[in-house]
Amino acid sequence: MKFLKDLRQNNNKPWFDENKTQYQQAKADFETLVQQIIDGLSRMDPGLEGLTVKDCVFRIYKDVRFSKDKTPYKANMGASFSKGGKKSPYGGFYFHLEPGGNNFAGGGIWMPDAPEIKKIRQEIDYNFSEFQGIVGQKDFIRYFGKVNGDTLKTAPQGYHEDNPAIAYIKLKSFVVTHSMSDDAVTQPTLVRDILRTYAVMQPFVNFLNRALDE
């Protein structure tokens, strides 16, 4: 957390190069956390067995070619836990570490490609009562509130506005997040708290992935 705070104030290559040792220590600290999360998730979801830290952690270096913000580094660390790794089309779990109260544990599927989103929409349409039961569960609402994502302005082809599930069918992403304070992410209970959050989320992720498998 200290390194990321310092990086935010000094987001340039000369400072980063000068503080490479601190970066390596921070990276090792984060990777230790990620391994502990993998170990816990593998017990919850056998489909995640065999994941490595490298499969999950995102690089701190930004691709600035098409961005107005030319600062070279992300002032956060993130890891995604999905069957097949972070570039997999499957839904999964995500952890984001960013000082200033921007930390969160979340998951789902972000901007799936057309074939995948078609399958998810069909699964929600065919099994809407089951989906409602998952996202309407008391703990799910307490942790995540609701399913988020950019929304189409009109119903996608093959669906009508009077469909009971239309609010979900119009979504372009299916994502949930649980915010965590800076204090919470520096506690010894962090891994337990993250895994507890993922346990509440797991039926939601399973539903999305079942759609992709069918």
Side-chain angles (χ1 to χ4, degrees):
M1 290 291 278
K2 181 184 184 308
F3 173 79
L4 291 173
K5 286 176 187 174
D6 291 343
L7 177 59
R8 182 180 287 170
Q9 301 301 317
N10 305 277
N11 200 327
N12 59 77
K13 191 173 187 305
W15 182 89
F16 191 87
D17 289 346
E18 196 175 307
N19 292 271
K20 202 69 177 275
T21 302
Q22 286 89 325
Y23 164 64
Q24 296 292 355
Q25 290 169 346
K27 181 170 178 271
D29 191 23
F30 186 71
E31 288 177 349
T32 298
L33 171 71
V34 169
Q35 185 60 61
Q36 292 172 325
I37 295 171
I38 290 171
D39 294 342
L41 270 175
S42 297
R43 290 191 289 271
M44 286 167 44
D45 185 344
L48 300 179
E49 285 179 7
L51 275 183
T52 67
V53 168
K54 190 176 179 182
D55 293 331
C56 303
V57 175
F58 290 96
R59 286 160 48 88
I60 201 164
Y61 306 97
K62 284 163 56 180
D63 182 351
V64 297
R65 289 174 299 171
F66 310 108
S67 174
K68 290 179 182 176
D69 177 6
K70 297 299 182 184
T71 51
Y73 309 104
K74 301 171 189 170
N76 62 71
M77 291 188 179
S80 176
F81 310 89
S82 304
K83 184 168 71 170
K86 57 181 179 272
K87 295 182 180 178
S88 153
Y90 283 100
F93 309 88
Y94 178 75
F95 179 68
H96 185 90
L97 187 72
E98 183 176 354
N102 301 308
N103 320 286
F104 64 87
I109 294 183
W110 173 257
M111 297 296 284
D113 291 336
E116 282 77 31
I117 201 164
K118 190 175 180 182
K119 290 179 179 180
I120 293 167
R121 285 171 175 157
Q122 181 176 287
E123 191 75 17
I124 292 172
D125 184 33
Y126 287 2
N127 299 287
F128 186 47
S129 59
E130 180 191 351
F131 188 75
Q132 272 185 311
I134 292 168
V135 301
Q137 208 260 343
K138 193 193 307 182
D139 276 349
F140 188 94
I141 294 169
R142 183 163 64 88
Y143 272 82
F144 309 115
K146 64 187 180 76
V147 181
N148 296 298
D150 291 342
T151 303
L152 295 170
K153 290 181 180 175
T154 58
Q157 188 175 8
Y159 296 95
H160 300 286
E161 291 289 347
D162 60 357
N163 188 309
I166 197 63
Y168 295 107
I169 289 168
K170 281 183 173 181
L171 289 174
K172 295 192 246 180
S173 294
F174 303 85
V175 174
V176 296
T177 58
H178 175 69
S179 296
M180 305 181 81
S181 68
D182 287 3
D183 182 58
V185 299
T186 54
Q187 296 301 316
T189 54
L190 176 60
V191 175
R192 185 199 69 188
D193 294 343
I194 291 170
L195 291 173
R196 188 175 288 169
T197 304
Y198 291 164
V200 175
M201 192 194 314
Q202 190 171 20
F204 170 69
V205 173
N206 288 349
F207 184 96
L208 298 175
N209 285 340
R210 186 181 77 199
L212 301 186
D213 280 333
E214 287 179 356

PDB file of all heavy atoms in Angstrom, residues 25-61:
ATOM      1  N   GLN A  25       9.652  -5.644  -3.747  1.00  0.00           N
ATOM      2  CA  GLN A  25       9.151  -6.085  -2.439  1.00  0.00           C
ATOM      3  C   GLN A  25       7.626  -6.037  -2.402  1.00  0.00           C
ATOM      4  O   GLN A  25       6.972  -6.960  -1.904  1.00  0.00           O
ATOM      5  CB  GLN A  25       9.748  -5.210  -1.329  1.00  0.00           C
ATOM      6  CG  GLN A  25      11.236  -5.441  -1.113  1.00  0.00           C
ATOM      7  CD  GLN A  25      11.867  -4.399  -0.198  1.00  0.00           C
ATOM      8  OE1 GLN A  25      11.281  -3.351   0.083  1.00  0.00           O
ATOM      9  NE2 GLN A  25      13.075  -4.689   0.262  1.00  0.00           N
ATOM     10  N   ALA A  26       7.063  -4.943  -2.940  1.00  0.00           N
ATOM     11  CA  ALA A  26       5.599  -4.806  -2.972  1.00  0.00           C
ATOM     12  C   ALA A  26       4.975  -5.885  -3.855  1.00  0.00           C
ATOM     13  O   ALA A  26       3.942  -6.480  -3.513  1.00  0.00           O
ATOM     14  CB  ALA A  26       5.224  -3.415  -3.477  1.00  0.00           C
ATOM     15  N   LYS A  27       5.608  -6.151  -4.990  1.00  0.00           N
ATOM     16  CA  LYS A  27       5.119  -7.172  -5.920  1.00  0.00           C
ATOM     17  C   LYS A  27       5.153  -8.555  -5.263  1.00  0.00           C
ATOM     18  O   LYS A  27       4.187  -9.330  -5.366  1.00  0.00           O
ATOM     19  CB  LYS A  27       6.002  -7.158  -7.175  1.00  0.00           C
ATOM     20  CG  LYS A  27       5.620  -8.142  -8.266  1.00  0.00           C
ATOM     21  CD  LYS A  27       6.428  -7.845  -9.530  1.00  0.00           C
ATOM     22  CE  LYS A  27       6.118  -8.835 -10.641  1.00  0.00           C
ATOM     23  NZ  LYS A  27       6.972 -10.030 -10.597  1.00  0.00           N
ATOM     24  N   ALA A  28       6.238  -8.854  -4.559  1.00  0.00           N
ATOM     25  CA  ALA A  28       6.353 -10.145  -3.870  1.00  0.00           C
ATOM     26  C   ALA A  28       5.289 -10.279  -2.787  1.00  0.00           C
ATOM     27  O   ALA A  28       4.700 -11.353  -2.599  1.00  0.00           O
ATOM     28  CB  ALA A  28       7.746 -10.297  -3.266  1.00  0.00           C
ATOM     29  N   ASP A  29       5.025  -9.181  -2.084  1.00  0.00           N
ATOM     30  CA  ASP A  29       4.000  -9.171  -1.034  1.00  0.00           C
ATOM     31  C   ASP A  29       2.627  -9.467  -1.643  1.00  0.00           C
ATOM     32  O   ASP A  29       1.861 -10.291  -1.130  1.00  0.00           O
ATOM     33  CB  ASP A  29       4.015  -7.797  -0.360  1.00  0.00           C
ATOM     34  CG  ASP A  29       3.186  -7.752   0.915  1.00  0.00           C
ATOM     35  OD1 ASP A  29       2.966  -8.816   1.526  1.00  0.00           O
ATOM     36  OD2 ASP A  29       2.760  -6.647   1.304  1.00  0.00           O
ATOM     37  N   PHE A  30       2.327  -8.801  -2.762  1.00  0.00           N
ATOM     38  CA  PHE A  30       1.034  -9.006  -3.431  1.00  0.00           C
ATOM     39  C   PHE A  30       0.928 -10.433  -3.969  1.00  0.00           C
ATOM     40  O   PHE A  30      -0.126 -11.066  -3.866  1.00  0.00           O
ATOM     41  CB  PHE A  30       0.865  -7.989  -4.561  1.00  0.00           C
ATOM     42  CG  PHE A  30      -0.495  -8.025  -5.200  1.00  0.00           C
ATOM     43  CD1 PHE A  30      -1.609  -7.571  -4.517  1.00  0.00           C
ATOM     44  CD2 PHE A  30      -0.666  -8.512  -6.489  1.00  0.00           C
ATOM     45  CE1 PHE A  30      -2.882  -7.618  -5.104  1.00  0.00           C
ATOM     46  CE2 PHE A  30      -1.911  -8.555  -7.084  1.00  0.00           C
ATOM     47  CZ  PHE A  30      -3.027  -8.103  -6.386  1.00  0.00           C
ATOM     48  N   GLU A  31       2.005 -10.948  -4.524  1.00  0.00           N
ATOM     49  CA  GLU A  31       1.978 -12.309  -5.085  1.00  0.00           C
ATOM     50  C   GLU A  31       1.788 -13.360  -3.991  1.00  0.00           C
ATOM     51  O   GLU A  31       1.164 -14.396  -4.236  1.00  0.00           O
ATOM     52  CB  GLU A  31       3.258 -12.557  -5.888  1.00  0.00           C
ATOM     53  CG  GLU A  31       3.280 -11.777  -7.199  1.00  0.00           C
ATOM     54  CD  GLU A  31       4.566 -11.956  -7.988  1.00  0.00           C
ATOM     55  OE1 GLU A  31       5.538 -12.530  -7.427  1.00  0.00           O
ATOM     56  OE2 GLU A  31       4.599 -11.526  -9.157  1.00  0.00           O
ATOM     57  N   THR A  32       2.306 -13.094  -2.806  1.00  0.00           N
ATOM     58  CA  THR A  32       2.063 -13.999  -1.671  1.00  0.00           C
ATOM     59  C   THR A  32       0.574 -14.046  -1.349  1.00  0.00           C
ATOM     60  O   THR A  32      -0.005 -15.114  -1.125  1.00  0.00           O
ATOM     61  CB  THR A  32       2.859 -13.546  -0.435  1.00  0.00           C
ATOM     62  OG1 THR A  32       4.255 -13.593  -0.741  1.00  0.00           O
ATOM     63  CG2 THR A  32       2.581 -14.429   0.761  1.00  0.00           C
ATOM     64  N   LEU A  33      -0.051 -12.863  -1.340  1.00  0.00           N
ATOM     65  CA  LEU A  33      -1.500 -12.783  -1.111  1.00  0.00           C
ATOM     66  C   LEU A  33      -2.251 -13.559  -2.189  1.00  0.00           C
ATOM     67  O   LEU A  33      -3.161 -14.339  -1.892  1.00  0.00           O
ATOM     68  CB  LEU A  33      -1.941 -11.319  -1.103  1.00  0.00           C
ATOM     69  CG  LEU A  33      -3.454 -11.078  -1.097  1.00  0.00           C
ATOM     70  CD1 LEU A  33      -4.054 -11.454   0.250  1.00  0.00           C
ATOM     71  CD2 LEU A  33      -3.786  -9.626  -1.441  1.00  0.00           C
ATOM     72  N   VAL A  34      -1.866 -13.360  -3.443  1.00  0.00           N
ATOM     73  CA  VAL A  34      -2.544 -14.024  -4.560  1.00  0.00           C
ATOM     74  C   VAL A  34      -2.440 -15.544  -4.430  1.00  0.00           C
ATOM     75  O   VAL A  34      -3.418 -16.272  -4.666  1.00  0.00           O
ATOM     76  CB  VAL A  34      -1.964 -13.532  -5.903  1.00  0.00           C
ATOM     77  CG1 VAL A  34      -2.449 -14.396  -7.067  1.00  0.00           C
ATOM     78  CG2 VAL A  34      -2.351 -12.084  -6.139  1.00  0.00           C
ATOM     79  N   GLN A  35      -1.276 -16.044  -4.044  1.00  0.00           N
ATOM     80  CA  GLN A  35      -1.122 -17.494  -3.862  1.00  0.00           C
ATOM     81  C   GLN A  35      -2.041 -18.013  -2.769  1.00  0.00           C
ATOM     82  O   GLN A  35      -2.651 -19.091  -2.901  1.00  0.00           O
ATOM     83  CB  GLN A  35       0.334 -17.843  -3.527  1.00  0.00           C
ATOM     84  CG  GLN A  35       0.597 -19.353  -3.431  1.00  0.00           C
ATOM     85  CD  GLN A  35       0.295 -20.084  -4.721  1.00  0.00           C
ATOM     86  OE1 GLN A  35       0.900 -19.820  -5.764  1.00  0.00           O
ATOM     87  NE2 GLN A  35      -0.656 -21.015  -4.688  1.00  0.00           N
ATOM     88  N   GLN A  36      -2.182 -17.256  -1.692  1.00  0.00           N
ATOM     89  CA  GLN A  36      -3.078 -17.664  -0.606  1.00  0.00           C
ATOM     90  C   GLN A  36      -4.533 -17.685  -1.078  1.00  0.00           C
ATOM     91  O   GLN A  36      -5.303 -18.570  -0.696  1.00  0.00           O
ATOM     92  CB  GLN A  36      -2.911 -16.719   0.595  1.00  0.00           C
ATOM     93  CG  GLN A  36      -1.567 -16.850   1.283  1.00  0.00           C
ATOM     94  CD  GLN A  36      -1.348 -15.776   2.344  1.00  0.00           C
ATOM     95  OE1 GLN A  36      -1.774 -14.638   2.200  1.00  0.00           O
ATOM     96  NE2 GLN A  36      -0.676 -16.146   3.417  1.00  0.00           N
ATOM     97  N   ILE A  37      -4.901 -16.717  -1.921  1.00  0.00           N
ATOM     98  CA  ILE A  37      -6.261 -16.697  -2.473  1.00  0.00           C
ATOM     99  C   ILE A  37      -6.476 -17.900  -3.392  1.00  0.00           C
ATOM    100  O   ILE A  37      -7.518 -18.568  -3.343  1.00  0.00           O
ATOM    101  CB  ILE A  37      -6.530 -15.375  -3.231  1.00  0.00           C
ATOM    102  CG1 ILE A  37      -6.507 -14.189  -2.259  1.00  0.00           C
ATOM    103  CG2 ILE A  37      -7.880 -15.425  -3.944  1.00  0.00           C
ATOM    104  CD1 ILE A  37      -6.543 -12.822  -2.944  1.00  0.00           C
ATOM    105  N   ILE A  38      -5.480 -18.201  -4.235  1.00  0.00           N
ATOM    106  CA  ILE A  38      -5.570 -19.374  -5.128  1.00  0.00           C
ATOM    107  C   ILE A  38      -5.775 -20.642  -4.302  1.00  0.00           C
ATOM    108  O   ILE A  38      -6.631 -21.479  -4.627  1.00  0.00           O
ATOM    109  CB  ILE A  38      -4.294 -19.509  -5.990  1.00  0.00           C
ATOM    110  CG1 ILE A  38      -4.220 -18.393  -7.029  1.00  0.00           C
ATOM    111  CG2 ILE A  38      -4.249 -20.873  -6.692  1.00  0.00           C
ATOM    112  CD1 ILE A  38      -2.895 -18.322  -7.777  1.00  0.00           C
ATOM    113  N   ASP A  39      -5.000 -20.787  -3.238  1.00  0.00           N
ATOM    114  CA  ASP A  39      -5.115 -21.979  -2.393  1.00  0.00           C
ATOM    115  C   ASP A  39      -6.529 -22.122  -1.827  1.00  0.00           C
ATOM    116  O   ASP A  39      -7.110 -23.213  -1.837  1.00  0.00           O
ATOM    117  CB  ASP A  39      -4.101 -21.918  -1.238  1.00  0.00           C
ATOM    118  CG  ASP A  39      -2.652 -22.002  -1.727  1.00  0.00           C
ATOM    119  OD1 ASP A  39      -2.440 -22.435  -2.873  1.00  0.00           O
ATOM    120  OD2 ASP A  39      -1.748 -21.619  -0.956  1.00  0.00           O
ATOM    121  N   GLY A  40      -7.096 -21.016  -1.349  1.00  0.00           N
ATOM    122  CA  GLY A  40      -8.445 -21.048  -0.786  1.00  0.00           C
ATOM    123  C   GLY A  40      -9.507 -21.280  -1.841  1.00  0.00           C
ATOM    124  O   GLY A  40     -10.438 -22.072  -1.650  1.00  0.00           O
ATOM    125  N   LEU A  41      -9.380 -20.606  -2.990  1.00  0.00           N
ATOM    126  CA  LEU A  41     -10.368 -20.752  -4.059  1.00  0.00           C
ATOM    127  C   LEU A  41     -10.364 -22.153  -4.654  1.00  0.00           C
ATOM    128  O   LEU A  41     -11.407 -22.677  -5.033  1.00  0.00           O
ATOM    129  CB  LEU A  41     -10.076 -19.734  -5.171  1.00  0.00           C
ATOM    130  CG  LEU A  41     -10.745 -18.368  -5.068  1.00  0.00           C
ATOM    131  CD1 LEU A  41     -10.255 -17.459  -6.185  1.00  0.00           C
ATOM    132  CD2 LEU A  41     -12.262 -18.486  -5.107  1.00  0.00           C
ATOM    133  N   SER A  42      -9.186 -22.769  -4.731  1.00  0.00           N
ATOM    134  CA  SER A  42      -9.088 -24.125  -5.296  1.00  0.00           C
ATOM    135  C   SER A  42      -9.879 -25.127  -4.467  1.00  0.00           C
ATOM    136  O   SER A  42     -10.398 -26.112  -5.000  1.00  0.00           O
ATOM    137  CB  SER A  42      -7.620 -24.561  -5.374  1.00  0.00           C
ATOM    138  OG  SER A  42      -6.905 -23.722  -6.247  1.00  0.00           O
ATOM    139  N   ARG A  43      -9.966 -24.873  -3.162  1.00  0.00           N
ATOM    140  CA  ARG A  43     -10.779 -25.760  -2.303  1.00  0.00           C
ATOM    141  C   ARG A  43     -12.265 -25.515  -2.540  1.00  0.00           C
ATOM    142  O   ARG A  43     -13.078 -26.434  -2.423  1.00  0.00           O
ATOM    143  CB  ARG A  43     -10.415 -25.528  -0.826  1.00  0.00           C
ATOM    144  CG  ARG A  43      -9.022 -26.038  -0.455  1.00  0.00           C
ATOM    145  CD  ARG A  43      -8.799 -26.050   1.043  1.00  0.00           C
ATOM    146  NE  ARG A  43      -8.669 -24.707   1.590  1.00  0.00           N
ATOM    147  CZ  ARG A  43      -7.510 -24.040   1.683  1.00  0.00           C
ATOM    148  NH1 ARG A  43      -6.387 -24.593   1.253  1.00  0.00           N
ATOM    149  NH2 ARG A  43      -7.474 -22.832   2.209  1.00  0.00           N
ATOM    150  N   MET A  44     -12.642 -24.277  -2.871  1.00  0.00           N
ATOM    151  CA  MET A  44     -14.042 -23.938  -3.121  1.00  0.00           C
ATOM    152  C   MET A  44     -14.488 -24.355  -4.519  1.00  0.00           C
ATOM    153  O   MET A  44     -15.630 -24.743  -4.726  1.00  0.00           O
ATOM    154  CB  MET A  44     -14.243 -22.412  -2.984  1.00  0.00           C
ATOM    155  CG  MET A  44     -14.229 -21.895  -1.557  1.00  0.00           C
ATOM    156  SD  MET A  44     -14.085 -20.074  -1.487  1.00  0.00           S
ATOM    157  CE  MET A  44     -15.232 -19.539  -2.745  1.00  0.00           C
ATOM    158  N   ASP A  45     -13.572 -24.215  -5.490  1.00  0.00           N
ATOM    159  CA  ASP A  45     -13.911 -24.430  -6.899  1.00  0.00           C
ATOM    160  C   ASP A  45     -12.816 -25.267  -7.554  1.00  0.00           C
ATOM    161  O   ASP A  45     -11.768 -24.746  -7.936  1.00  0.00           O
ATOM    162  CB  ASP A  45     -14.041 -23.075  -7.605  1.00  0.00           C
ATOM    163  CG  ASP A  45     -14.517 -23.206  -9.047  1.00  0.00           C
ATOM    164  OD1 ASP A  45     -14.457 -24.323  -9.600  1.00  0.00           O
ATOM    165  OD2 ASP A  45     -14.947 -22.189  -9.614  1.00  0.00           O
ATOM    166  N   PRO A  46     -13.026 -26.575  -7.707  1.00  0.00           N
ATOM    167  CA  PRO A  46     -12.012 -27.453  -8.288  1.00  0.00           C
ATOM    168  C   PRO A  46     -11.567 -27.027  -9.690  1.00  0.00           C
ATOM    169  O   PRO A  46     -10.464 -27.358 -10.121  1.00  0.00           O
ATOM    170  CB  PRO A  46     -12.695 -28.823  -8.326  1.00  0.00           C
ATOM    171  CG  PRO A  46     -13.771 -28.744  -7.296  1.00  0.00           C
ATOM    172  CD  PRO A  46     -14.232 -27.322  -7.281  1.00  0.00           C
ATOM    173  N   GLY A  47     -12.407 -26.288 -10.398  1.00  0.00           N
ATOM    174  CA  GLY A  47     -12.051 -25.812 -11.736  1.00  0.00           C
ATOM    175  C   GLY A  47     -10.882 -24.840 -11.732  1.00  0.00           C
ATOM    176  O   GLY A  47     -10.288 -24.573 -12.783  1.00  0.00           O
ATOM    177  N   LEU A  48     -10.550 -24.315 -10.553  1.00  0.00           N
ATOM    178  CA  LEU A  48      -9.451 -23.349 -10.451  1.00  0.00           C
ATOM    179  C   LEU A  48      -8.153 -24.003  -9.989  1.00  0.00           C
ATOM    180  O   LEU A  48      -7.133 -23.322  -9.841  1.00  0.00           O
ATOM    181  CB  LEU A  48      -9.835 -22.212  -9.497  1.00  0.00           C
ATOM    182  CG  LEU A  48     -11.071 -21.403  -9.915  1.00  0.00           C
ATOM    183  CD1 LEU A  48     -11.367 -20.324  -8.887  1.00  0.00           C
ATOM    184  CD2 LEU A  48     -10.876 -20.776 -11.289  1.00  0.00           C
ATOM    185  N   GLU A  49      -8.188 -25.307  -9.761  1.00  0.00           N
ATOM    186  CA  GLU A  49      -6.962 -26.010  -9.368  1.00  0.00           C
ATOM    187  C   GLU A  49      -5.926 -25.903 -10.488  1.00  0.00           C
ATOM    188  O   GLU A  49      -6.258 -25.975 -11.668  1.00  0.00           O
ATOM    189  CB  GLU A  49      -7.263 -27.488  -9.080  1.00  0.00           C
ATOM    190  CG  GLU A  49      -7.975 -27.706  -7.759  1.00  0.00           C
ATOM    191  CD  GLU A  49      -8.270 -29.177  -7.513  1.00  0.00           C
ATOM    192  OE1 GLU A  49      -7.795 -30.005  -8.298  1.00  0.00           O
ATOM    193  OE2 GLU A  49      -8.989 -29.475  -6.543  1.00  0.00           O
ATOM    194  N   GLY A  50      -4.688 -25.721 -10.103  1.00  0.00           N
ATOM    195  CA  GLY A  50      -3.621 -25.626 -11.086  1.00  0.00           C
ATOM    196  C   GLY A  50      -3.293 -24.215 -11.515  1.00  0.00           C
ATOM    197  O   GLY A  50      -2.318 -23.991 -12.230  1.00  0.00           O
ATOM    198  N   LEU A  51      -4.126 -23.218 -11.108  1.00  0.00           N
ATOM    199  CA  LEU A  51      -3.795 -21.827 -11.414  1.00  0.00           C
ATOM    200  C   LEU A  51      -2.485 -21.444 -10.737  1.00  0.00           C
ATOM    201  O   LEU A  51      -2.220 -21.844  -9.605  1.00  0.00           O
ATOM    202  CB  LEU A  51      -4.893 -20.884 -10.900  1.00  0.00           C
ATOM    203  CG  LEU A  51      -6.122 -20.620 -11.765  1.00  0.00           C
ATOM    204  CD1 LEU A  51      -7.013 -19.603 -11.072  1.00  0.00           C
ATOM    205  CD2 LEU A  51      -5.748 -20.133 -13.155  1.00  0.00           C
ATOM    206  N   THR A  52      -1.679 -20.640 -11.421  1.00  0.00           N
ATOM    207  CA  THR A  52      -0.458 -20.106 -10.825  1.00  0.00           C
ATOM    208  C   THR A  52      -0.607 -18.604 -10.626  1.00  0.00           C
ATOM    209  O   THR A  52      -1.498 -17.973 -11.213  1.00  0.00           O
ATOM    210  CB  THR A  52       0.758 -20.369 -11.729  1.00  0.00           C
ATOM    211  OG1 THR A  52       0.607 -19.590 -12.939  1.00  0.00           O
ATOM    212  CG2 THR A  52       0.888 -21.845 -12.085  1.00  0.00           C
ATOM    213  N   VAL A  53       0.281 -18.047  -9.825  1.00  0.00           N
ATOM    214  CA  VAL A  53       0.266 -16.593  -9.596  1.00  0.00           C
ATOM    215  C   VAL A  53       0.391 -15.853 -10.929  1.00  0.00           C
ATOM    216  O   VAL A  53      -0.315 -14.875 -11.188  1.00  0.00           O
ATOM    217  CB  VAL A  53       1.396 -16.196  -8.624  1.00  0.00           C
ATOM    218  CG1 VAL A  53       1.583 -14.684  -8.591  1.00  0.00           C
ATOM    219  CG2 VAL A  53       1.096 -16.722  -7.223  1.00  0.00           C
ATOM    220  N   LYS A  54       1.277 -16.344 -11.786  1.00  0.00           N
ATOM    221  CA  LYS A  54       1.498 -15.696 -13.086  1.00  0.00           C
ATOM    222  C   LYS A  54       0.230 -15.706 -13.936  1.00  0.00           C
ATOM    223  O   LYS A  54      -0.009 -14.785 -14.734  1.00  0.00           O
ATOM    224  CB  LYS A  54       2.637 -16.407 -13.822  1.00  0.00           C
ATOM    225  CG  LYS A  54       3.120 -15.683 -15.066  1.00  0.00           C
ATOM    226  CD  LYS A  54       4.309 -16.406 -15.691  1.00  0.00           C
ATOM    227  CE  LYS A  54       4.765 -15.685 -16.957  1.00  0.00           C
ATOM    228  NZ  LYS A  54       5.880 -16.389 -17.615  1.00  0.00           N
ATOM    229  N   ASP A  55      -0.598 -16.750 -13.802  1.00  0.00           N
ATOM    230  CA  ASP A  55      -1.859 -16.832 -14.547  1.00  0.00           C
ATOM    231  C   ASP A  55      -2.832 -15.731 -14.146  1.00  0.00           C
ATOM    232  O   ASP A  55      -3.759 -15.418 -14.908  1.00  0.00           O
ATOM    233  CB  ASP A  55      -2.567 -18.176 -14.281  1.00  0.00           C
ATOM    234  CG  ASP A  55      -1.809 -19.365 -14.832  1.00  0.00           C
ATOM    235  OD1 ASP A  55      -1.097 -19.215 -15.836  1.00  0.00           O
ATOM    236  OD2 ASP A  55      -1.924 -20.461 -14.231  1.00  0.00           O
ATOM    237  N   CYS A  56      -2.654 -15.180 -12.944  1.00  0.00           N
ATOM    238  CA  CYS A  56      -3.677 -14.334 -12.333  1.00  0.00           C
ATOM    239  C   CYS A  56      -3.328 -12.848 -12.248  1.00  0.00           C
ATOM    240  O   CYS A  56      -4.211 -12.002 -12.352  1.00  0.00           O
ATOM    241  CB  CYS A  56      -3.977 -14.835 -10.915  1.00  0.00           C
ATOM    242  SG  CYS A  56      -4.512 -16.561 -10.842  1.00  0.00           S
ATOM    243  N   VAL A  57      -2.039 -12.538 -12.034  1.00  0.00           N
ATOM    244  CA  VAL A  57      -1.649 -11.155 -11.723  1.00  0.00           C
ATOM    245  C   VAL A  57      -1.482 -10.329 -13.000  1.00  0.00           C
ATOM    246  O   VAL A  57      -0.879 -10.776 -13.968  1.00  0.00           O
ATOM    247  CB  VAL A  57      -0.335 -11.134 -10.906  1.00  0.00           C
ATOM    248  CG1 VAL A  57       0.150  -9.699 -10.690  1.00  0.00           C
ATOM    249  CG2 VAL A  57      -0.548 -11.806  -9.552  1.00  0.00           C
ATOM    250  N   PHE A  58      -2.019  -9.101 -12.958  1.00  0.00           N
ATOM    251  CA  PHE A  58      -1.867  -8.175 -14.080  1.00  0.00           C
ATOM    252  C   PHE A  58      -0.584  -7.355 -13.935  1.00  0.00           C
ATOM    253  O   PHE A  58      -0.163  -7.034 -12.827  1.00  0.00           O
ATOM    254  CB  PHE A  58      -3.075  -7.227 -14.152  1.00  0.00           C
ATOM    255  CG  PHE A  58      -4.341  -7.912 -14.569  1.00  0.00           C
ATOM    256  CD1 PHE A  58      -5.248  -8.368 -13.621  1.00  0.00           C
ATOM    257  CD2 PHE A  58      -4.621  -8.122 -15.909  1.00  0.00           C
ATOM    258  CE1 PHE A  58      -6.415  -9.016 -14.000  1.00  0.00           C
ATOM    259  CE2 PHE A  58      -5.789  -8.764 -16.298  1.00  0.00           C
ATOM    260  CZ  PHE A  58      -6.686  -9.212 -15.345  1.00  0.00           C
ATOM    261  N   ARG A  59       0.010  -7.011 -15.069  1.00  0.00           N
ATOM    262  CA  ARG A  59       1.229  -6.201 -15.063  1.00  0.00           C
ATOM    263  C   ARG A  59       0.950  -4.792 -14.549  1.00  0.00           C
ATOM    264  O   ARG A  59      -0.144  -4.255 -14.753  1.00  0.00           O
ATOM    265  CB  ARG A  59       1.777  -6.084 -16.496  1.00  0.00           C
ATOM    266  CG  ARG A  59       2.440  -7.343 -17.018  1.00  0.00           C
ATOM    267  CD  ARG A  59       2.526  -7.344 -18.530  1.00  0.00           C
ATOM    268  NE  ARG A  59       3.047  -6.089 -19.071  1.00  0.00           N
ATOM    269  CZ  ARG A  59       4.346  -5.826 -19.261  1.00  0.00           C
ATOM    270  NH1 ARG A  59       5.257  -6.732 -18.953  1.00  0.00           N
ATOM    271  NH2 ARG A  59       4.743  -4.682 -19.775  1.00  0.00           N
ATOM    272  N   ILE A  60       1.943  -4.181 -13.920  1.00  0.00           N
ATOM    273  CA  ILE A  60       1.806  -2.810 -13.424  1.00  0.00           C
ATOM    274  C   ILE A  60       2.077  -1.798 -14.534  1.00  0.00           C
ATOM    275  O   ILE A  60       1.713  -0.635 -14.443  1.00  0.00           O
ATOM    276  CB  ILE A  60       2.733  -2.560 -12.211  1.00  0.00           C
ATOM    277  CG1 ILE A  60       2.223  -1.368 -11.394  1.00  0.00           C
ATOM    278  CG2 ILE A  60       4.192  -2.380 -12.648  1.00  0.00           C
ATOM    279  CD1 ILE A  60       2.817  -1.273 -10.014  1.00  0.00           C
ATOM    280  N   TYR A  61       2.691  -2.275 -15.628  1.00  0.00           N
ATOM    281  CA  TYR A  61       3.031  -1.388 -16.746  1.00  0.00           C
ATOM    282  C   TYR A  61       1.803  -1.160 -17.629  1.00  0.00           C
ATOM    283  O   TYR A  61       1.132  -2.103 -18.014  1.00  0.00           O
ATOM    284  CB  TYR A  61       4.164  -2.000 -17.581  1.00  0.00           C
ATOM    285  CG  TYR A  61       5.369  -2.359 -16.750  1.00  0.00           C
ATOM    286  CD1 TYR A  61       5.551  -3.665 -16.289  1.00  0.00           C
ATOM    287  CD2 TYR A  61       6.309  -1.393 -16.399  1.00  0.00           C
ATOM    288  CE1 TYR A  61       6.652  -4.006 -15.508  1.00  0.00           C
ATOM    289  CE2 TYR A  61       7.408  -1.725 -15.618  1.00  0.00           C
ATOM    290  CZ  TYR A  61       7.570  -3.022 -15.176  1.00  0.00           C
ATOM    291  OH  TYR A  61       8.649  -3.344 -14.396  1.00  0.00           O
TER     292      TYR A  61
END
